[in-house]
């Protein structure tokens, strides 16, 4: 499941390394992200300076009072402080407000799991151990990132280009899908992508499409 959080409010409580890691999941969206903490890591301060997150410096002593006095009810609440009891109190209070919650110290209280996400260009691959071992999930994420090649990224660009071309000249979705798969496995096109020659791959692909159209007409 990949939440669409564009236009939503995301509240992250905790300003350390774990908070920084978790908020990476929301930076690609247009969500309004606010980090609450009594202190913030340099990485989080950098994101704030770039306008990617808002910071609210606060030391939470009364969870109920803190939640009640929020000016806007957040859509998602992530409790990622280093205080186990505080995290639990925060998510329980947020649940009463109808928020979707994540608790770093007790996955059983969370409404969702934040997997380790391998990001290479437009490729995103989520790796989850169901919250049982974040360390192993991170190791697997790093391994996957090494597997995604420059050729794979060019293949995505080629497929995006060809989908637009085929939508204008072929109405049958099954035929389009078959052509895209043929292009994906074409030896000459794969060689061109391996050499970084996207323009050659496009030309070869268009020729293949035109030949198919001529055969079918």
């Amino acid at each position: 499941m990949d939440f669409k959080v564009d236009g939503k409010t995301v509240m992250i409580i905790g300003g350390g390394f774990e908070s920084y890691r978790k908020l990476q999941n929301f930076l690609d969206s247009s969500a309004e992200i606010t980090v609450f903490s009594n202190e913030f890591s340099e990485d989080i301060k950098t994101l704030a300076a770039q306008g990617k997150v808002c910071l609210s410096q606060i030391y939470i002593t009364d969870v109920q009072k803190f939640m009640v006095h929020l000016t806007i009810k957040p859509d998602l609440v992530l409790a990622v402080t280093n205080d186990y009891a505080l995290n639990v109190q925060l998510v329980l209070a947020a649940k009463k407000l109808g928020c979707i919650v994540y608790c770093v110290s007790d996955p059983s209280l969370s409404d969702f799991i934040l997997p380790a996400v391998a990001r290479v260009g437009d490729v995103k691959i989520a790796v989850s151990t169901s919250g049982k071992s974040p360390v192993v999930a991170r190791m697997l994420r790093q391994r996957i990132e090494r597997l995604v090649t420059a050729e794979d990224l060019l293949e995505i660009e080629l497929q995006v280009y060809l989908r637009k071309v085929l939508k204008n000249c072929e109405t049958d979705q099954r035929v389009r899908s078959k052509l895209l798969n043929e292009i994906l496995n074409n030896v000459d096109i794969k060689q061109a992508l391996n050499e970084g020659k996207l323009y050659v791959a496009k030309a070869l692909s268009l020729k293949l499409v035109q030949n198919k159209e001529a055969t079918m007409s």
Side-chain angles (χ1 to χ4, degrees):
M1 184 182 294
D2 192 2
F3 281 125
K4 291 184 178 180
V5 294
D6 292 332
K8 304 296 184 182
T9 56
V10 178
M11 182 171 80
I12 300 176
I13 308 166
F17 174 71
E18 193 63 29
S19 173
Y20 175 75
R21 284 187 56 224
K22 299 307 181 188
L23 67 83
Q24 299 297 313
N25 292 275
F26 306 101
L27 291 180
D28 291 338
S29 70
S30 61
E32 182 181 326
I33 308 167
T34 304
V35 183
F36 293 80
S37 182
N38 61 321
E39 56 184 358
F40 306 95
S41 70
E42 291 303 315
D43 287 329
I44 291 179
K45 288 179 182 178
T46 298
L47 291 177
Q50 295 171 347
K52 296 180 178 180
V53 302
C54 297
L55 304 184
S56 180
Q57 191 163 24
I58 184 173
Y59 187 80
I60 303 173
T61 55
D62 187 325
V63 170
Q64 295 299 329
K65 185 177 180 180
F66 167 70
M67 298 300 292
V68 168
H69 285 82
L70 290 173
T71 54
I72 299 175
K73 189 193 84 170
D75 297 294
L76 273 71
V77 174
L78 288 79
V80 287
T81 76
N82 57 8
D83 186 327
Y84 178 96
L86 178 60
N87 289 336
V88 171
Q89 292 176 47
L90 285 165
V91 298
L92 292 177
K95 278 178 177 282
K96 289 181 180 179
L97 289 180
C99 306
I100 298 174
V101 303
Y102 173 85
C103 182
V104 71
S105 50
D106 190 345
S108 67
L109 294 175
S110 302
D111 293 321
F112 61 97
I113 293 172
L114 285 174
V117 179
R119 292 182 173 88
V120 184
D122 291 324
V123 176
K124 289 198 302 182
I125 302 173
V127 182
S128 173
T129 58
S130 300
K132 294 178 180 178
S133 180
V135 172
V136 173
R138 186 161 59 250
M139 177 195 70
L140 293 173
R141 182 209 74 203
Q142 293 168 347
R143 188 181 299 172
I144 289 170
E145 285 175 340
R146 292 193 294 269
L147 290 174
V148 180
T149 66
E151 180 183 336
D152 296 322
L153 300 180
L154 288 177
E155 185 69 70
I156 292 172
E157 289 190 50
L158 177 62
Q159 290 278 316
V160 170
Y161 167 74
L162 290 172
R163 287 181 68 188
K164 292 179 181 178
V165 170
L166 289 171
K167 281 183 178 179
N168 291 326
C169 64
E170 178 55 62
T171 58
D172 192 325
Q173 195 277 332
R174 291 172 298 180
V175 174
R176 294 201 303 265
S177 180
K178 185 177 179 180
L179 277 168
L180 289 172
N181 275 290
E182 286 184 24
I183 290 167
L184 182 67
N185 295 296
N186 184 280
V187 174
D188 293 331
I189 293 172
K190 289 178 77 69
Q191 180 62 35
L193 293 175
N194 186 50
E195 295 172 359
K197 298 176 180 178
L198 181 59
Y199 66 98
V200 174
K202 285 182 177 180
L204 291 171
S205 299
L206 285 177
K207 186 175 181 180
L208 192 152
V209 171
Q210 291 164 358
N211 288 340
K212 286 288 183 181
E213 286 184 327
T215 301
M216 295 172 65
S217 61

